[in-house]
């Protein structure tokens, strides 16, 4: 992969140049937290932001959108007009989250709604130094080798800029004069030192090998009921998880009742109606069953299917759950470590 | 790129009541060439859309050996079915599919077959029943055991009575109760009918069951008693679904999706994947 160097001082100038490709989006401060927002002023970008409240999945699977418009029983496709855009500042864990959504939405039966939004979006990654809620090293999602068009890595007074795609190469050419090809032996030293610093900052460390087996053996563990006693079934964990992708579909008719829209909106397996079928049978009535499904998806099912967990270690569930049920606590519980519940 | 979520317009050709709350629907793509080229397997399902009411999955009751028409056997029980029951013959409805794995016909061909139906389980298993009868020479010995609660609640009564008269299968029908004394055959649970099953080569038999949840345990026990291997005991399962193609997440069970990897599962699947039944 090709790498270039950009002076730290030139970052804002380059971000401004990216706007000639399309809308520029990145993390900005909102109260004590961060959100992805349109960067009208490039200096609003929060370079130190670790995790946004909602992960970048919202750009590809919006919380609610129209799939079809119907008149009587005729359905017509409806696609939002997605303009070319650049998402700046995705950390490696969030890029891995997108790669997991790609597996789900682009492989078997490709989803045209997802694909259109994905195709219109350039991904520009940004390295980060973890905090006490990050666990991406345990999920092996703390670095990226693909899944981006450009990836910026801190390098002293510079950024090391990896070009990950042909589009990334085009993006560099929007302001080629800012970049240098001269990577010195000294730069490699700086890069290695930075990597060591990053790796040393992880406070959470778990061995996830064999998680499917451990979950299988813990199927009847009382832990699930103990967690369910606390869980509020609010679904916040699903909203903030970069790989939660469940959705509902509903028809919303207008006042004539002859026409309307078929909408898709986020759902969570924490919601009681999640597995309810017509006739009243609920396949996952118990909260413990629904919690178990959530963690089965993150720590067992995806490993069985793709050889990696579908938790990318971003720490959002740790940050968000009002009663402190999160992937770290569940892993501790499953592996017999002290739980702080 | 094609939109896999887009319902196809199909014509509701014929409908009639099977019981007080279950109705039979014949549906066909508006385009006749499309109707004749529509391929599916017994055990697969379709998503039916009715604008305003929404979309839901339904087992296909017809057999691909009689092309040109899709048939469904549907109980009025929810939002989509309530709307469907209001639809008149010759109206248009939205349909997409077929989805799911269907029955492993390639493995079942040449084998003895035993089908056990309880109540609404006739909806998916009628497809397999008619498929075997239409390709009778490709299969070995064939038993069809059918149980309904009462004579009034029996689905496809006329059709199954006629099938009972055929001499190329062993068809046994029962009802749990017969208050009016009108039922001409056995009265009792469907498991009673296993006493009539003989001369099956268990190692060479596929046994298939579909019915109310309470029935599985007892019927599967009978299959195992006959010596039929666990992986040749088949069943088709129900789950909530919003897509049919492994995206919406609702039918997930462990690492699989009922819509993609099911809805047909073996008893071995049930034993090694928790949560299936």
């Amino acid at each position: 992969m090709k790498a270039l160097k950009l002076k730290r001082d030139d970052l804002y100038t380059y971000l401004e140049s990216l706007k000639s490709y399309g809308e520029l989006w990145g993390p900005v401060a909102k109260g004590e937290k961060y959100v992805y927002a349109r960067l009208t002023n490039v200096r609003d970008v929060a370079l130190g932001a670790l995790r946004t409240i909602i992960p970048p999945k919202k750009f590809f699977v919006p919380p609610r959108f129209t799939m079809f418009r119907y008149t009587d029983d005729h359905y017509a496709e409806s696609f939002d007009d997605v303009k070319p855009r650049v998402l700046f500042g995705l950390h490696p864990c969030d890029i891995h989250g997108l790669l997991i959504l790609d597996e789900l939405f682009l492989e078997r039966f490709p989803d045209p709604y997802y694909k259109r939004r994905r195709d219109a979006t350039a991904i520009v990654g940004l390295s980060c130094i973890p905090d006490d809620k990050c666990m991406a090293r345990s999920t092996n999602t703390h670095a990226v080798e693909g899944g981006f068009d450009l990836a910026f890595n801190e390098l002293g007074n510079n950024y090391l800029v990896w070009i990950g795609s042909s589009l990334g190469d085009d993006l560099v050419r929007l302001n080629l004069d800012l970049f240098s090809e001269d990577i010195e032996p000294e730069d490699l030293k700086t890069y290695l030192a930075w990597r060591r610093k990053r790796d040393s900052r992880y406070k959470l460390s778990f061995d996830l090998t064999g998680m499917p087996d451990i979950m299988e053996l813990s199927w009847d563990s009382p832990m699930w009921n103990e967690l369910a006693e606390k869980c509020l079934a609010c679904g916040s964990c699903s909203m903030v998880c970069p790989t939660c992708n469940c959705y509902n579909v509903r028809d919303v008719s207008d006042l004539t009742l002859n026409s309307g829209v078929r909408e898709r909106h986020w759902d969570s397996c924490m919601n009681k109606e999640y597995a309810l079928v017509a006739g009243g049978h609920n396949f996952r009535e118990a909260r413990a069953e629904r919690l178990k499904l959530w963690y089965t998806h993150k720590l067992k099912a995806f490993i069985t299917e793709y050889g990696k967990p579908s938790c990318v270690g971003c720490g959002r569930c740790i940050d968000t759950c009002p009663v402190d049920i999160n992937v770290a606590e569940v892993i501790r519980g499953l592996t017999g470590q002290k739980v702080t519940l | 790129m094609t939109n896999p979520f887009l319902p196809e317009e199909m014509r509701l050709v014929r409908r009639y009541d099977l019981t007080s709350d279950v109705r039979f629907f014949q549906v066909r793509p508006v385009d006749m060439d499309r109707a004749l080229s529509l391929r599916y397997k017994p055990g697969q399902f379709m998503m039916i859309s009715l604008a305003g009411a929404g979309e839901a999955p339904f087992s296909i009751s017809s057999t691909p050996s009689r092309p040109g028409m899709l048939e469904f056997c549907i109980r009025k029980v929810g939002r989509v079915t309530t709307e469907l029951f209001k639809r008149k013959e010759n109206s248009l409805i939205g349909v997409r599919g077929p989805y799911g794995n269907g029955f492993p016909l390639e493995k079942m061909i040449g084998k003895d077959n035993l089908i056990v139906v309880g109540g609404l389980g006739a909806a998916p298993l009628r497809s397999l029943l008619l498929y075997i009868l239409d390709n009778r020479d490709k299969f070995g010995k064939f038993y069809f055991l059918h149980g309904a609660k009462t004579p009034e609640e029996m689905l496809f009564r006329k059709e199954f009575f006629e099938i009972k008269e055929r001499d190329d299968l062993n068809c046994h029908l029962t009802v749990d109760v017969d208050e009016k004394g009108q039922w001409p055959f056995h009265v009792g649970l469907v498991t009673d009918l296993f006493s009539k099953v003989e001369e099956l080569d268990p190692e060479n038999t596929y046994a298939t069951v579909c019915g109310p949840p309470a029935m599985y345990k007892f019927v599967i026990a009978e299959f195992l008693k006959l010596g039929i291997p666990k992986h040749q005991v088949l069943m088709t399962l129900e789950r909530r679904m919003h897509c049919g193609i492994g995206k919406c997440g609702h039918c997930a069970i462990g690492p699989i999706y009922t819509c993609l990897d099911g809805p047909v599962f073996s008893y071995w699947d049930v034993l090694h994947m928790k949560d299936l039944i």
Side-chain angles (χ1 to χ4, degrees), chain A residues 212-269:
Chain A
D213 302 22
I214 294 165
M215 285 211 69
E216 187 78 29
L217 294 171
S218 309
W219 193 259
D220 298 318
S221 162
M223 179 188 83
W224 298 113
N225 285 323
E226 288 160 19
L227 292 173
E229 286 291 317
K230 290 186 66 183
C231 175
L232 306 173
C234 67
S236 299
C237 48
S238 296
M239 304 299 113
V240 303
C241 179
T243 67
C244 266
N245 62 294
C246 288
Y247 65 80
N248 270 334
V249 176
R250 67 173 171 209
D251 287 4
V252 183
S253 292
D254 61 22
L255 289 174
T256 67
L257 298 181
N258 294 324
S259 54
V261 292
R262 173 161 291 178
E263 287 182 347
R264 187 157 136 182
H265 58 96
W266 289 359
D267 193 10
S268 165
C269 58

Side-chain angles (χ1 to χ4, degrees), chain B residues 10-257:
Chain B
M10 294 202 190
R11 194 170 298 285
L12 175 51
V13 179
R14 203 164 160 233
R15 48 160 232 186
Y16 53 83
D17 288 340
L18 293 169
T19 67
S20 61
D21 64 347
V22 179
R23 193 171 280 179
F24 180 72
F25 296 89
Q26 268 186 343
V27 172
R28 126 175 127 211
V30 174
D31 177 59
M32 207 51 208
D33 287 339
R34 164 75 181 137
L36 289 168
S37 64
L38 186 69
R39 298 272 177 276
Y40 63 93
K41 283 170 81 176
Q44 287 194 295
F45 65 95
M46 309 284 288
M47 298 292 290
I48 296 185
S49 269
L50 298 163
E55 193 175 42
F58 295 95
S59 301
I60 305 172
S61 294
S62 51
T63 167
S65 48
R66 300 176 195 180
M69 202 76 81
L70 287 168
E71 294 170 346
F72 301 92
C73 162
I74 294 172
R75 175 170 286 161
K76 185 175 165 181
V77 73
R79 208 171 51 240
V80 175
T81 53
T82 299
E83 178 61 26
L84 182 60
F85 270 56
K86 292 179 190 163
R87 297 304 168 101
K88 302 263 187 315
E89 286 178 353
N90 220 23
S91 63
L92 294 174
I93 63 172
V95 183
R96 60 187 177 92
Y99 299 125
N101 56 355
F103 288 102
L105 293 174
E106 59 291 344
K107 292 182 193 160
M108 299 166 86
I109 282 173
K111 302 284 198 299
D112 291 351
N113 273 272
L114 166 56
I115 295 179
V116 180
V117 162
L120 205 53
L125 295 194
R126 176 178 177 263
S127 178
L128 183 62
L129 165 72
L130 298 182
Y131 183 87
I132 294 177
L133 291 177
D134 288 352
N135 297 279
R136 191 62 195 90
D137 55 331
K138 290 192 186 143
F139 294 86
K141 295 192 191 76
F142 184 26
Y143 279 86
F144 178 62
L145 312 183
H146 182 284
K149 258 188 215 155
T150 62
E152 292 79 16
E153 285 181 63
M154 183 181 174
L155 306 169
F156 300 108
R157 184 147 43 155
K158 188 164 170 286
E159 185 174 303
F160 291 170
F161 274 33
E162 281 169 18
I163 286 172
K164 192 180 183 339
E165 297 307 310
R166 292 173 63 142
D167 57 8
D168 58 352
L169 84 161
N170 292 287
C171 173
H172 299 285
L173 311 173
T174 183
V175 290
D176 295 352
V177 285
D178 175 29
E179 283 184 352
K180 295 176 189 159
Q182 55 171 282
W183 183 253
F185 311 117
H186 182 82
V187 176
L189 296 174
V190 73
T191 41
D192 297 349
L193 301 177
F194 277 85
S195 62
K196 302 181 192 292
V197 177
E198 45 201 29
E199 293 173 358
L200 277 182
D201 173 11
E203 288 290 325
N204 245 332
T205 298
Y206 272 87
T208 306
V209 57
C210 189
M215 200 180 98
Y216 285 84
K217 196 174 135 193
F218 300 102
V219 172
I220 291 168
E222 294 291 337
F223 288 156
L224 298 179
K225 229 188 279 174
L226 286 172
I228 299 168
K230 292 185 283 281
H231 63 280
Q232 286 169 211
V233 168
L234 305 177
M235 59 204 80
T236 157
L237 304 182
E238 177 193 12
R239 282 294 183 281
R240 178 172 180 152
M241 294 177 190
H242 283 293
C243 70
I245 52 176
K247 309 277 185 253
C248 81
H250 285 84
C251 69
I253 304 170
I256 60 108
Y257 290 110

Side-chain angles (χ1 to χ4, degrees), chain A residues 67-68 70-79 103-113 115 216-217 219-220 245-253 257-258 262 264 267 273-281 283-284 289 292-293 296-297 300-302 304-305, chain B residues 1-9 48-55 77-81 83 87 91-96 98-99 213 237-257 259-261 271-276:
Chain A
M67 301 174 77
F68 301 104
Y70 56 81
T71 307
D72 295 321
D73 276 294
H74 179 76
Y75 292 84
E77 290 175 288
S78 169
F79 290 106
E103 305 253 20
L104 292 161
F105 287 117
L106 298 179
E107 293 303 316
R108 233 165 132 184
F109 296 103
D111 175 350
Y113 301 96
K115 188 167 186 340
E216 187 78 29
L217 294 171
W219 193 259
D220 298 318
N245 62 294
C246 288
Y247 65 80
N248 270 334
V249 176
R250 67 173 171 209
D251 287 4
V252 183
S253 292
L257 298 181
N258 294 324
R262 173 161 291 178
R264 187 157 136 182
D267 193 10
E273 302 77 17
Y274 182 75
L276 179 70
V277 295
H281 185 71
F283 287 94
R284 297 192 193 277
E289 293 300 319
K292 198 151 55 173
L293 178 69
T296 297
H297 180 238
K300 179 171 186 275
F302 216 78
T304 310
E305 197 74 5
Chain B
M1 124 183 236
T2 56
N3 189 331
F5 305 104
L6 181 65
E8 185 180 341
E9 279 185 355
I48 296 185
S49 269
L50 298 163
E55 193 175 42
V77 73
R79 208 171 51 240
V80 175
T81 53
E83 178 61 26
R87 297 304 168 101
S91 63
L92 294 174
I93 63 172
V95 183
R96 60 187 177 92
Y99 299 125
L237 304 182
E238 177 193 12
R239 282 294 183 281
R240 178 172 180 152
M241 294 177 190
H242 283 293
C243 70
I245 52 176
K247 309 277 185 253
C248 81
H250 285 84
C251 69
I253 304 170
I256 60 108
Y257 290 110
C259 65
L260 292 176
D261 307 287
L271 286 182
H272 84 97
M273 274 189 284
K274 299 193 166 83
D275 253 14
L276 223 45

